Amino acid sequence: SASFLGLRPKGAVREGHGLSRELPLEGRLPVAAAMNGFRLCGDMLHLTSILLLLYKLHKNKSCAGVSCRTQEVYAIVFLLRYLDLTWLYISFYNSAMKGIFIISTSYLVYLMRFKPPVATTHDRERDNFRYELYFLGPSFVLGFLTAHQWMFAEVLWTTSIWLESVAIVPQLVLLQQIREVENLTSHFVGAMGAYRAFYILNWLYRYMEEGHINWVPWVGGVVQTVLYCDFFYYYVKSRTYGSKLVLPVTT
């Protein structure tokens, strides 16, 4: 049925990745009013991280140090989250950004998996984190248990929030193995971490200004930010001293 699929009349805003989607019965602000500077900066930082990665792959003809498996997780996240593109129009910005994230991330996976010469540089032995075993099942379970409503689109949206919270893990595991991180790769991961930081500021702002509460993306965002903390410490340290980013040996 339409309600099970999540087809809803326009009414109120729900945010996940930052691109609004609708949620009935919560009295949220209209889409245009829900945007703020923190949220816009978060969107632009995420877009910047993808553009940096595309630039690196095309410039160097190499994906050394980049986790294809993290990009695969993000592709799944965007496909689950932006399913509403097939029936819902909110704004040009909203639809365009959703399309850009889906297409660009899928293209990154294609380059690293199949397109020479980039694909020949993919380190499959090191980039082997089994997200399909550790993350997909638990994310779907959490998505079902914590969905605001048990509708198909709602469960997929909530699943995408939990899955995104751990999407960077394969990338961090790969970097920890190679230790010496190329500048463009470090900037890409740094931009991803900054995007999450701005989303925390966005949530704080919306809570203070609107009383907006949404526990699922809050908890997922905090988990994601915590995962970045160790990398971010060494990233900022390397930028401060003008040196190459070298991660410590784990014991």
Side-chain angles (χ1 to χ4, degrees):
S1 68
S3 61
F4 175 73
L5 288 173
L7 307 181
R8 307 166 187 142
K10 292 189 176 182
V13 176
R14 178 164 193 170
E15 68 178 292
H17 164 260
L19 301 175
S20 306
R21 69 188 287 270
E22 299 185 352
L23 182 67
L25 307 179
E26 290 200 0
R28 306 284 174 84
L29 292 177
V31 172
M35 180 61 74
N36 60 67
F38 297 122
R39 184 172 177 176
L40 182 61
C41 285
D43 283 351
M44 293 302 105
L45 281 165
H46 198 175
L47 180 60
T48 298
S49 72
I50 293 175
L51 294 177
L52 281 170
L53 198 49
L54 286 169
Y55 175 73
K56 168 188 162 60
L57 266 55
H58 281 283
K59 176 177 180 289
N60 298 344
K61 308 298 181 186
S62 168
C63 63
V66 179
S67 172
C68 181
R69 296 186 72 74
T70 277
Q71 296 307 312
E72 290 169 2
V73 176
Y74 273 112
I76 295 170
V77 165
F78 296 144
L79 288 171
L80 293 177
R81 185 173 303 168
Y82 302 145
L83 179 68
D84 61 3
L85 269 177
T86 59
W87 68 77
L88 177 65
Y89 178 81
I90 295 174
S91 69
F92 174 78
Y93 171 83
N94 187 277
S95 297
M97 292 294 283
K98 288 177 179 180
I100 288 170
F101 282 123
I102 291 172
I103 293 169
S104 60
T105 306
S106 300
Y107 179 60
L108 284 168
V109 173
Y110 165 73
L111 285 177
M112 288 187 275
R113 282 288 182 193
F114 307 110
K115 181 69 174 176
V118 175
T120 61
T121 65
H122 178 216
D123 190 346
R124 287 169 169 79
E125 290 187 8
R126 287 178 171 174
D127 186 23
N128 60 2
F129 188 89
R130 299 177 67 186
Y131 66 81
E132 57 269 63
L133 176 63
Y134 298 115
F135 293 158
L136 288 186
S139 294
F140 274 105
V141 171
L142 283 171
F144 181 78
L145 294 176
T146 61
H148 177 76
Q149 294 175 312
W150 283 346
M151 297 185 298
F152 181 67
E154 188 71 29
V155 171
L156 293 186
W157 181 88
T158 310
T159 297
S160 78
I161 297 297
W162 295 119
L163 188 57
E164 186 187 13
S165 72
V166 291
I168 198 64
V169 169
Q171 179 66 66
L172 296 177
V173 169
L174 176 61
L175 293 182
Q176 194 62 60
Q177 292 181 72
I178 63 178
R179 295 190 56 228
E180 191 169 305
V181 184
E182 198 177 88
N183 281 336
L184 280 173
T185 304
S186 68
H187 295 333
F188 148 68
V189 180
M192 289 293 292
Y195 135 66
R196 292 315 307 177
F198 270 94
Y199 259 84
I200 289 179
L201 294 175
N202 165 60
W203 297 329
L204 290 172
Y205 172 82
R206 292 197 65 190
Y207 175 73
M208 291 186 294
E209 292 294 316
E210 308 164 21
H212 175 90
I213 297 175
N214 196 345
W215 291 109
V216 171
W218 285 13
V219 174
V222 169
V223 169
Q224 191 174 2
T225 303
V226 168
L227 289 172
Y228 279 101
C229 284
D230 186 63
F231 172 88
F232 228 71
Y233 169 77
Y234 291 103
Y235 176 73
V236 172
K237 187 177 178 180
S238 70
R239 294 298 98 198
T240 301
Y241 292 101
S243 58
K244 194 167 188 177
L245 175 57
V246 180
L247 299 175
V249 178
T250 55
T251 56

